PDB file of all heavy atoms in Angstrom:
ATOM      1  N   PRO A   1     -10.073 -81.253-114.416  1.00 85.00           N
ATOM      2  CA  PRO A   1      -8.659 -81.624-114.196  1.00 85.00           C
ATOM      3  C   PRO A   1      -7.802 -81.228-115.460  1.00 85.00           C
ATOM      4  O   PRO A   1      -8.316 -81.006-116.545  1.00 85.00           O
ATOM      5  CB  PRO A   1      -8.680 -83.118-114.068  1.00 85.00           C
ATOM      6  CG  PRO A   1     -10.056 -83.458-113.736  1.00 85.00           C
ATOM      7  CD  PRO A   1     -10.932 -82.446-114.311  1.00 85.00           C
ATOM      8  N   VAL A   2      -6.525 -81.124-115.231  1.00 85.00           N
ATOM      9  CA  VAL A   2      -5.587 -80.697-116.316  1.00 85.00           C
ATOM     10  C   VAL A   2      -5.691 -81.667-117.491  1.00 85.00           C
ATOM     11  O   VAL A   2      -5.676 -81.204-118.644  1.00 85.00           O
ATOM     12  CB  VAL A   2      -4.162 -80.716-115.741  1.00 85.00           C
ATOM     13  CG1 VAL A   2      -3.157 -80.378-116.806  1.00 85.00           C
ATOM     14  CG2 VAL A   2      -4.058 -79.756-114.571  1.00 85.00           C
ATOM     15  N   ASN A   3      -5.751 -82.941-117.269  1.00 87.00           N
ATOM     16  CA  ASN A   3      -5.693 -83.910-118.391  1.00 87.00           C
ATOM     17  C   ASN A   3      -7.100 -84.416-118.782  1.00 87.00           C
ATOM     18  O   ASN A   3      -7.207 -85.538-119.313  1.00 87.00           O
ATOM     19  CB  ASN A   3      -4.856 -85.138-117.940  1.00 87.00           C
ATOM     20  CG  ASN A   3      -3.432 -84.781-117.796  1.00 87.00           C
ATOM     21  OD1 ASN A   3      -2.878 -83.991-118.561  1.00 87.00           O
ATOM     22  ND2 ASN A   3      -2.738 -85.325-116.837  1.00 87.00           N
ATOM     23  N   HIS A   4      -8.098 -83.576-118.603  1.00 84.00           N
ATOM     24  CA  HIS A   4      -9.447 -83.962-118.921  1.00 84.00           C
ATOM     25  C   HIS A   4      -9.538 -84.331-120.387  1.00 84.00           C
ATOM     26  O   HIS A   4      -9.163 -83.552-121.251  1.00 84.00           O
ATOM     27  CB  HIS A   4     -10.416 -82.825-118.600  1.00 84.00           C
ATOM     28  CG  HIS A   4     -11.840 -83.162-118.853  1.00 84.00           C
ATOM     29  ND1 HIS A   4     -12.551 -84.077-118.104  1.00 84.00           N
ATOM     30  CD2 HIS A   4     -12.713 -82.684-119.784  1.00 84.00           C
ATOM     31  CE1 HIS A   4     -13.768 -84.166-118.588  1.00 84.00           C
ATOM     32  NE2 HIS A   4     -13.878 -83.298-119.596  1.00 84.00           N
ATOM     33  N   ARG A   5     -10.050 -85.523-120.663  1.00 84.00           N
ATOM     34  CA  ARG A   5     -10.236 -86.081-122.028  1.00 84.00           C
ATOM     35  C   ARG A   5      -8.951 -86.295-122.848  1.00 84.00           C
ATOM     36  O   ARG A   5      -8.999 -86.441-124.038  1.00 84.00           O
ATOM     37  CB  ARG A   5     -11.234 -85.229-122.834  1.00 84.00           C
ATOM     38  CG  ARG A   5     -12.632 -85.245-122.252  1.00 84.00           C
ATOM     39  CD  ARG A   5     -13.582 -84.874-123.355  1.00 84.00           C
ATOM     40  NE  ARG A   5     -14.916 -84.942-122.811  1.00 84.00           N
ATOM     41  CZ  ARG A   5     -15.816 -85.806-123.237  1.00 84.00           C
ATOM     42  NH1 ARG A   5     -15.568 -86.675-124.155  1.00 84.00           N
ATOM     43  NH2 ARG A   5     -17.010 -85.840-122.683  1.00 84.00           N
ATOM     44  N   HIS A   6      -7.826 -86.304-122.139  1.00 91.00           N
ATOM     45  CA  HIS A   6      -6.552 -86.654-122.819  1.00 91.00           C
ATOM     46  C   HIS A   6      -6.273 -88.147-122.625  1.00 91.00           C
ATOM     47  O   HIS A   6      -6.605 -88.707-121.572  1.00 91.00           O
ATOM     48  CB  HIS A   6      -5.411 -85.821-122.246  1.00 91.00           C
ATOM     49  CG  HIS A   6      -5.475 -84.402-122.646  1.00 91.00           C
ATOM     50  ND1 HIS A   6      -4.760 -83.420-121.991  1.00 91.00           N
ATOM     51  CD2 HIS A   6      -6.183 -83.745-123.592  1.00 91.00           C
ATOM     52  CE1 HIS A   6      -5.047 -82.266-122.502  1.00 91.00           C
ATOM     53  NE2 HIS A   6      -5.929 -82.436-123.456  1.00 91.00           N
ATOM     54  N   ALA A   7      -5.651 -88.792-123.604  1.00 94.00           N
ATOM     55  CA  ALA A   7      -5.329 -90.185-123.505  1.00 94.00           C
ATOM     56  C   ALA A   7      -4.272 -90.404-122.428  1.00 94.00           C
ATOM     57  O   ALA A   7      -3.415 -89.530-122.208  1.00 94.00           O
ATOM     58  CB  ALA A   7      -4.847 -90.701-124.869  1.00 94.00           C
ATOM     59  N   TRP A   8      -4.264 -91.575-121.870  1.00 94.00           N
ATOM     60  CA  TRP A   8      -3.237 -91.936-120.872  1.00 94.00           C
ATOM     61  C   TRP A   8      -1.960 -92.329-121.566  1.00 94.00           C
ATOM     62  O   TRP A   8      -2.008 -93.108-122.490  1.00 94.00           O
ATOM     63  CB  TRP A   8      -3.744 -93.104-119.997  1.00 94.00           C
ATOM     64  CG  TRP A   8      -4.781 -92.736-119.019  1.00 94.00           C
ATOM     65  CD1 TRP A   8      -6.127 -92.510-119.247  1.00 94.00           C
ATOM     66  CD2 TRP A   8      -4.605 -92.570-117.609  1.00 94.00           C
ATOM     67  NE1 TRP A   8      -6.735 -92.218-118.108  1.00 94.00           N
ATOM     68  CE2 TRP A   8      -5.903 -92.222-117.073  1.00 94.00           C
ATOM     69  CE3 TRP A   8      -3.529 -92.705-116.755  1.00 94.00           C
ATOM     70  CZ2 TRP A   8      -6.081 -91.994-115.708  1.00 94.00           C
ATOM     71  CZ3 TRP A   8      -3.714 -92.461-115.427  1.00 94.00           C
ATOM     72  CH2 TRP A   8      -4.984 -92.082-114.897  1.00 94.00           C
ATOM     73  N   GLY A   9      -0.834 -91.813-121.132  1.00 94.00           N
ATOM     74  CA  GLY A   9       0.407 -92.160-121.725  1.00 94.00           C
ATOM     75  C   GLY A   9       1.138 -93.210-120.929  1.00 94.00           C
ATOM     76  O   GLY A   9       0.710 -93.653-119.847  1.00 94.00           O
ATOM     77  N   GLY A  10       2.233 -93.679-121.493  1.00 95.00           N
ATOM     78  CA  GLY A  10       3.016 -94.706-120.820  1.00 95.00           C
ATOM     79  C   GLY A  10       3.581 -94.287-119.507  1.00 95.00           C
ATOM     80  O   GLY A  10       3.642 -95.048-118.507  1.00 95.00           O
ATOM     81  N   ALA A  11       4.024 -93.015-119.379  1.00 95.00           N
ATOM     82  CA  ALA A  11       4.554 -92.516-118.158  1.00 95.00           C
ATOM     83  C   ALA A  11       3.449 -92.385-117.097  1.00 95.00           C
ATOM     84  O   ALA A  11       3.738 -92.669-115.901  1.00 95.00           O
ATOM     85  CB  ALA A  11       5.191 -91.155-118.367  1.00 95.00           C
ATOM     86  N   GLU A  12       2.291 -92.008-117.485  1.00 95.00           N
ATOM     87  CA  GLU A  12       1.167 -91.945-116.517  1.00 95.00           C
ATOM     88  C   GLU A  12       0.734 -93.291-116.027  1.00 95.00           C
ATOM     89  O   GLU A  12       0.455 -93.482-114.880  1.00 95.00           O
ATOM     90  CB  GLU A  12      -0.027 -91.230-117.160  1.00 95.00           C
ATOM     91  CG  GLU A  12       0.155 -89.746-117.334  1.00 95.00           C
ATOM     92  CD  GLU A  12      -1.073 -89.117-117.945  1.00 95.00           C
ATOM     93  OE1 GLU A  12      -1.556 -89.650-118.967  1.00 95.00           O
ATOM     94  OE2 GLU A  12      -1.507 -88.063-117.480  1.00 95.00           O
ATOM     95  N   ASN A  13       0.755 -94.305-116.916  1.00 96.00           N
ATOM     96  CA  ASN A  13       0.433 -95.640-116.506  1.00 96.00           C
ATOM     97  C   ASN A  13       1.458 -96.172-115.546  1.00 96.00           C
ATOM     98  O   ASN A  13       1.107 -96.827-114.592  1.00 96.00           O
ATOM     99  CB  ASN A  13       0.315 -96.555-117.749  1.00 96.00           C
ATOM    100  CG  ASN A  13      -0.918 -96.270-118.588  1.00 96.00           C
ATOM    101  OD1 ASN A  13      -1.919 -95.803-118.069  1.00 96.00           O
ATOM    102  ND2 ASN A  13      -0.844 -96.609-119.820  1.00 96.00           N
ATOM    103  N   ALA A  14       2.708 -95.895-115.808  1.00 97.00           N
ATOM    104  CA  ALA A  14       3.774 -96.331-114.867  1.00 97.00           C
ATOM    105  C   ALA A  14       3.639 -95.637-113.515  1.00 97.00           C
ATOM    106  O   ALA A  14       3.798 -96.228-112.479  1.00 97.00           O
ATOM    107  CB  ALA A  14       5.163 -96.026-115.497  1.00 97.00           C
ATOM    108  N   ALA A  15       3.302 -94.340-113.516  1.00 96.00           N
ATOM    109  CA  ALA A  15       3.094 -93.641-112.279  1.00 96.00           C
ATOM    110  C   ALA A  15       1.906 -94.149-111.542  1.00 96.00           C
ATOM    111  O   ALA A  15       1.915 -94.283-110.300  1.00 96.00           O
ATOM    112  CB  ALA A  15       2.906 -92.125-112.581  1.00 96.00           C
ATOM    113  N   LEU A  16       0.861 -94.514-112.245  1.00 96.00           N
ATOM    114  CA  LEU A  16      -0.366 -95.101-111.625  1.00 96.00           C
ATOM    115  C   LEU A  16       0.019 -96.434-110.917  1.00 96.00           C
ATOM    116  O   LEU A  16      -0.376 -96.687-109.788  1.00 96.00           O
ATOM    117  CB  LEU A  16      -1.421 -95.353-112.682  1.00 96.00           C
ATOM    118  CG  LEU A  16      -2.670 -96.057-112.173  1.00 96.00           C
ATOM    119  CD1 LEU A  16      -3.440 -95.245-111.170  1.00 96.00           C
ATOM    120  CD2 LEU A  16      -3.595 -96.426-113.376  1.00 96.00           C
ATOM    121  N   ARG A  17       0.797 -97.265-111.595  1.00 96.00           N
ATOM    122  CA  ARG A  17       1.230 -98.548-111.018  1.00 96.00           C
ATOM    123  C   ARG A  17       2.066 -98.292-109.793  1.00 96.00           C
ATOM    124  O   ARG A  17       1.932 -98.996-108.760  1.00 96.00           O
ATOM    125  CB  ARG A  17       2.001 -99.342-112.006  1.00 96.00           C
ATOM    126  CG  ARG A  17       1.142 -99.988-113.082  1.00 96.00           C
ATOM    127  CD  ARG A  17       1.984-100.956-113.941  1.00 96.00           C
ATOM    128  NE  ARG A  17       1.131-101.634-114.907  1.00 96.00           N
ATOM    129  CZ  ARG A  17       0.987-101.266-116.184  1.00 96.00           C
ATOM    130  NH1 ARG A  17       1.681-100.260-116.636  1.00 96.00           N
ATOM    131  NH2 ARG A  17       0.191-101.950-116.970  1.00 96.00           N
ATOM    132  N   THR A  18       2.976 -97.374-109.859  1.00 95.00           N
ATOM    133  CA  THR A  18       3.853 -97.040-108.708  1.00 95.00           C
ATOM    134  C   THR A  18       3.045 -96.526-107.525  1.00 95.00           C
ATOM    135  O   THR A  18       3.252 -96.976-106.395  1.00 95.00           O
ATOM    136  CB  THR A  18       4.928 -95.938-109.112  1.00 95.00           C
ATOM    137  OG1 THR A  18       5.626 -96.464-110.220  1.00 95.00           O
ATOM    138  CG2 THR A  18       5.866 -95.629-107.974  1.00 95.00           C
ATOM    139  N   LEU A  19       2.140 -95.607-107.761  1.00 95.00           N
ATOM    140  CA  LEU A  19       1.306 -95.094-106.694  1.00 95.00           C
ATOM    141  C   LEU A  19       0.434 -96.160-106.068  1.00 95.00           C
ATOM    142  O   LEU A  19       0.199 -96.179-104.863  1.00 95.00           O
ATOM    143  CB  LEU A  19       0.493 -93.896-107.213  1.00 95.00           C
ATOM    144  CG  LEU A  19       1.209 -92.638-107.537  1.00 95.00           C
ATOM    145  CD1 LEU A  19       0.341 -91.635-108.272  1.00 95.00           C
ATOM    146  CD2 LEU A  19       1.788 -92.009-106.295  1.00 95.00           C
ATOM    147  N   ALA A  20      -0.088 -97.082-106.920  1.00 93.00           N
ATOM    148  CA  ALA A  20      -0.913 -98.132-106.392  1.00 93.00           C
ATOM    149  C   ALA A  20      -0.087 -99.127-105.538  1.00 93.00           C
ATOM    150  O   ALA A  20      -0.575 -99.586-104.482  1.00 93.00           O
ATOM    151  CB  ALA A  20      -1.548 -98.912-107.557  1.00 93.00           C
ATOM    152  N   ASN A  21       1.163 -99.356-105.922  1.00 92.00           N
ATOM    153  CA  ASN A  21       2.034-100.239-105.105  1.00 92.00           C
ATOM    154  C   ASN A  21       2.398 -99.572-103.774  1.00 92.00           C
ATOM    155  O   ASN A  21       2.664-100.280-102.813  1.00 92.00           O
ATOM    156  CB  ASN A  21       3.315-100.557-105.881  1.00 92.00           C
ATOM    157  CG  ASN A  21       3.027-101.590-107.003  1.00 92.00           C
ATOM    158  OD1 ASN A  21       2.060-102.313-106.974  1.00 92.00           O
ATOM    159  ND2 ASN A  21       3.878-101.585-108.001  1.00 92.00           N
ATOM    160  N   GLN A  22       2.394 -98.257-103.739  1.00 91.00           N
ATOM    161  CA  GLN A  22       2.682 -97.551-102.510  1.00 91.00           C
ATOM    162  C   GLN A  22       1.464 -97.310-101.653  1.00 91.00           C
ATOM    163  O   GLN A  22       1.539 -96.658-100.630  1.00 91.00           O
ATOM    164  CB  GLN A  22       3.293 -96.166-102.848  1.00 91.00           C
ATOM    165  CG  GLN A  22       4.652 -96.253-103.522  1.00 91.00           C
ATOM    166  CD  GLN A  22       5.119 -94.912-104.013  1.00 91.00           C
ATOM    167  OE1 GLN A  22       4.415 -93.886-103.901  1.00 91.00           O
ATOM    168  NE2 GLN A  22       6.366 -94.873-104.456  1.00 91.00           N
ATOM    169  N   ASN A  23       0.343 -97.890-102.068  1.00 89.00           N
ATOM    170  CA  ASN A  23      -0.925 -97.834-101.279  1.00 89.00           C
ATOM    171  C   ASN A  23      -1.421 -96.404-101.118  1.00 89.00           C
ATOM    172  O   ASN A  23      -1.916 -96.021-100.103  1.00 89.00           O
ATOM    173  CB  ASN A  23      -0.725 -98.513 -99.891  1.00 89.00           C
ATOM    174  CG  ASN A  23      -2.025 -98.933 -99.306  1.00 89.00           C
ATOM    175  OD1 ASN A  23      -3.068 -99.015 -99.980  1.00 89.00           O
ATOM    176  ND2 ASN A  23      -2.048 -99.137 -98.007  1.00 89.00           N
ATOM    177  N   THR A  24      -1.306 -95.633-102.208  1.00 92.00           N
ATOM    178  CA  THR A  24      -1.762 -94.203-102.195  1.00 92.00           C
ATOM    179  C   THR A  24      -3.297 -94.205-102.435  1.00 92.00           C
ATOM    180  O   THR A  24      -3.786 -94.920-103.247  1.00 92.00           O
ATOM    181  CB  THR A  24      -1.060 -93.465-103.341  1.00 92.00           C
ATOM    182  OG1 THR A  24       0.362 -93.639-103.212  1.00 92.00           O
ATOM    183  CG2 THR A  24      -1.387 -92.009-103.321  1.00 92.00           C
ATOM    184  N   PRO A  25      -3.996 -93.365-101.674  1.00 92.00           N
ATOM    185  CA  PRO A  25      -5.456 -93.244-101.897  1.00 92.00           C
ATOM    186  C   PRO A  25      -5.794 -92.733-103.314  1.00 92.00           C
ATOM    187  O   PRO A  25      -5.020 -91.997-103.894  1.00 92.00           O
ATOM    188  CB  PRO A  25      -5.875 -92.183-100.852  1.00 92.00           C
ATOM    189  CG  PRO A  25      -4.808 -92.225 -99.825  1.00 92.00           C
ATOM    190  CD  PRO A  25      -3.546 -92.540-100.559  1.00 92.00           C
ATOM    191  N   THR A  26      -6.880 -93.175-103.826  1.00 94.00           N
ATOM    192  CA  THR A  26      -7.317 -92.812-105.177  1.00 94.00           C
ATOM    193  C   THR A  26      -7.439 -91.313-105.394  1.00 94.00           C
ATOM    194  O   THR A  26      -7.071 -90.804-106.434  1.00 94.00           O
ATOM    195  CB  THR A  26      -8.654 -93.502-105.521  1.00 94.00           C
ATOM    196  OG1 THR A  26      -8.529 -94.897-105.125  1.00 94.00           O
ATOM    197  CG2 THR A  26      -9.013 -93.402-106.939  1.00 94.00           C
ATOM    198  N   ARG A  27      -7.918 -90.637-104.394  1.00 94.00           N
ATOM    199  CA  ARG A  27      -8.072 -89.141-104.502  1.00 94.00           C
ATOM    200  C   ARG A  27      -6.706 -88.512-104.693  1.00 94.00           C
ATOM    201  O   ARG A  27      -6.523 -87.592-105.517  1.00 94.00           O
ATOM    202  CB  ARG A  27      -8.787 -88.610-103.263  1.00 94.00           C
ATOM    203  CG  ARG A  27      -8.790 -87.138-103.146  1.00 94.00           C
ATOM    204  CD  ARG A  27     -10.143 -86.600-103.520  1.00 94.00           C
ATOM    205  NE  ARG A  27     -10.206 -85.174-103.265  1.00 94.00           N
ATOM    206  CZ  ARG A  27     -10.187 -84.244-104.192  1.00 94.00           C
ATOM    207  NH1 ARG A  27     -10.157 -84.584-105.419  1.00 94.00           N
ATOM    208  NH2 ARG A  27     -10.243 -82.968-103.882  1.00 94.00           N
ATOM    209  N   VAL A  28      -5.702 -88.934-103.917  1.00 95.00           N
ATOM    210  CA  VAL A  28      -4.379 -88.396-104.008  1.00 95.00           C
ATOM    211  C   VAL A  28      -3.743 -88.708-105.321  1.00 95.00           C
ATOM    212  O   VAL A  28      -3.062 -87.896-105.950  1.00 95.00           O
ATOM    213  CB  VAL A  28      -3.491 -88.875-102.837  1.00 95.00           C
ATOM    214  CG1 VAL A  28      -2.075 -88.401-102.973  1.00 95.00           C
ATOM    215  CG2 VAL A  28      -4.100 -88.430-101.495  1.00 95.00           C
ATOM    216  N   MET A  29      -3.968 -89.928-105.817  1.00 95.00           N
ATOM    217  CA  MET A  29      -3.499 -90.328-107.132  1.00 95.00           C
ATOM    218  C   MET A  29      -4.042 -89.419-108.220  1.00 95.00           C
ATOM    219  O   MET A  29      -3.303 -88.974-109.087  1.00 95.00           O
ATOM    220  CB  MET A  29      -3.874 -91.750-107.503  1.00 95.00           C
ATOM    221  CG  MET A  29      -3.142 -92.834-106.847  1.00 95.00           C
ATOM    222  SD  MET A  29      -3.668 -94.441-107.556  1.00 95.00           S
ATOM    223  CE  MET A  29      -3.551 -95.441-106.160  1.00 95.00           C
ATOM    224  N   GLY A  30      -5.344 -89.150-108.131  1.00 94.00           N
ATOM    225  CA  GLY A  30      -5.952 -88.247-109.068  1.00 94.00           C
ATOM    226  C   GLY A  30      -5.347 -86.830-109.061  1.00 94.00           C
ATOM    227  O   GLY A  30      -5.127 -86.235-110.108  1.00 94.00           O
ATOM    228  N   LEU A  31      -5.066 -86.314-107.869  1.00 93.00           N
ATOM    229  CA  LEU A  31      -4.472 -84.997-107.803  1.00 93.00           C
ATOM    230  C   LEU A  31      -3.075 -85.009-108.378  1.00 93.00           C
ATOM    231  O   LEU A  31      -2.669 -84.112-109.090  1.00 93.00           O
ATOM    232  CB  LEU A  31      -4.417 -84.572-106.340  1.00 93.00           C
ATOM    233  CG  LEU A  31      -5.771 -84.257-105.721  1.00 93.00           C
ATOM    234  CD1 LEU A  31      -5.613 -83.994-104.250  1.00 93.00           C
ATOM    235  CD2 LEU A  31      -6.445 -83.058-106.362  1.00 93.00           C
ATOM    236  N   LYS A  32      -2.290 -86.027-108.113  1.00 95.00           N
ATOM    237  CA  LYS A  32      -0.923 -86.084-108.635  1.00 95.00           C
ATOM    238  C   LYS A  32      -0.850 -86.287-110.167  1.00 95.00           C
ATOM    239  O   LYS A  32       0.014 -85.749-110.826  1.00 95.00           O
ATOM    240  CB  LYS A  32      -0.146 -87.212-107.964  1.00 95.00           C
ATOM    241  CG  LYS A  32       0.221 -86.920-106.505  1.00 95.00           C
ATOM    242  CD  LYS A  32       1.039 -87.998-105.924  1.00 95.00           C
ATOM    243  CE  LYS A  32       1.448 -87.641-104.523  1.00 95.00           C
ATOM    244  NZ  LYS A  32       2.451 -88.552-103.940  1.00 95.00           N
ATOM    245  N   LEU A  33      -1.835 -87.039-110.675  1.00 94.00           N
ATOM    246  CA  LEU A  33      -1.858 -87.359-112.099  1.00 94.00           C
ATOM    247  C   LEU A  33      -2.672 -86.334-112.919  1.00 94.00           C
ATOM    248  O   LEU A  33      -2.695 -86.426-114.139  1.00 94.00           O
ATOM    249  CB  LEU A  33      -2.371 -88.736-112.343  1.00 94.00           C
ATOM    250  CG  LEU A  33      -1.573 -89.902-111.731  1.00 94.00           C
ATOM    251  CD1 LEU A  33      -2.309 -91.189-111.872  1.00 94.00           C
ATOM    252  CD2 LEU A  33      -0.212 -89.971-112.449  1.00 94.00           C
ATOM    253  N   GLY A  34      -3.395 -85.449-112.234  1.00 94.00           N
ATOM    254  CA  GLY A  34      -4.227 -84.497-112.942  1.00 94.00           C
ATOM    255  C   GLY A  34      -5.475 -85.143-113.504  1.00 94.00           C
ATOM    256  O   GLY A  34      -5.960 -84.736-114.584  1.00 94.00           O
ATOM    257  N   ARG A  35      -6.005 -86.120-112.803  1.00 94.00           N
ATOM    258  CA  ARG A  35      -7.162 -86.862-113.275  1.00 94.00           C
ATOM    259  C   ARG A  35      -8.205 -86.904-112.130  1.00 94.00           C
ATOM    260  O   ARG A  35      -7.866 -86.648-110.976  1.00 94.00           O
ATOM    261  CB  ARG A  35      -6.845 -88.314-113.633  1.00 94.00           C
ATOM    262  CG  ARG A  35      -5.720 -88.462-114.640  1.00 94.00           C
ATOM    263  CD  ARG A  35      -6.247 -88.247-116.057  1.00 94.00           C
ATOM    264  NE  ARG A  35      -5.157 -88.457-117.021  1.00 94.00           N
ATOM    265  CZ  ARG A  35      -5.362 -88.578-118.289  1.00 94.00           C
ATOM    266  NH1 ARG A  35      -6.564 -88.585-118.783  1.00 94.00           N
ATOM    267  NH2 ARG A  35      -4.357 -88.715-119.135  1.00 94.00           N
ATOM    268  N   THR A  36      -9.405 -87.314-112.456  1.00 93.00           N
ATOM    269  CA  THR A  36     -10.392 -87.512-111.419  1.00 93.00           C
ATOM    270  C   THR A  36     -10.215 -88.873-110.723  1.00 93.00           C
ATOM    271  O   THR A  36      -9.654 -89.767-111.374  1.00 93.00           O
ATOM    272  CB  THR A  36     -11.851 -87.395-111.980  1.00 93.00           C
ATOM    273  OG1 THR A  36     -12.013 -88.484-112.872  1.00 93.00           O
ATOM    274  CG2 THR A  36     -12.104 -86.055-112.603  1.00 93.00           C
ATOM    275  N   PRO A  37     -10.682 -89.046-109.506  1.00 94.00           N
ATOM    276  CA  PRO A  37     -10.568 -90.368-108.893  1.00 94.00           C
ATOM    277  C   PRO A  37     -11.256 -91.480-109.707  1.00 94.00           C
ATOM    278  O   PRO A  37     -10.790 -92.601-109.744  1.00 94.00           O
ATOM    279  CB  PRO A  37     -11.240 -90.182-107.535  1.00 94.00           C
ATOM    280  CG  PRO A  37     -11.056 -88.731-107.242  1.00 94.00           C
ATOM    281  CD  PRO A  37     -11.148 -88.033-108.592  1.00 94.00           C
TER     282      PRO A  37
END
């Protein structure tokens, strides 16, 4: 993935929370954030 071994930033954490609140599947979250599920 694009962000392999990079630290999570504040914007990524906020995006993760938003995607989780929208009931997004983990695989799709990973694709949007450039991370593995």
Side-chain angles (χ1 to χ4, degrees):
V2 177
N3 292 323
H4 182 68
R5 293 202 178 246
H6 290 162
W8 286 75
E12 286 180 313
N13 288 335
L16 175 66
R17 285 187 176 100
T18 303
L19 290 169
N21 286 338
Q22 294 172 354
N23 201 17
T24 307
T26 310
R27 171 104 173 107
V28 175
M29 283 188 215
L31 291 172
K32 288 184 177 189
L33 296 172
R35 306 280 182 166
T36 63

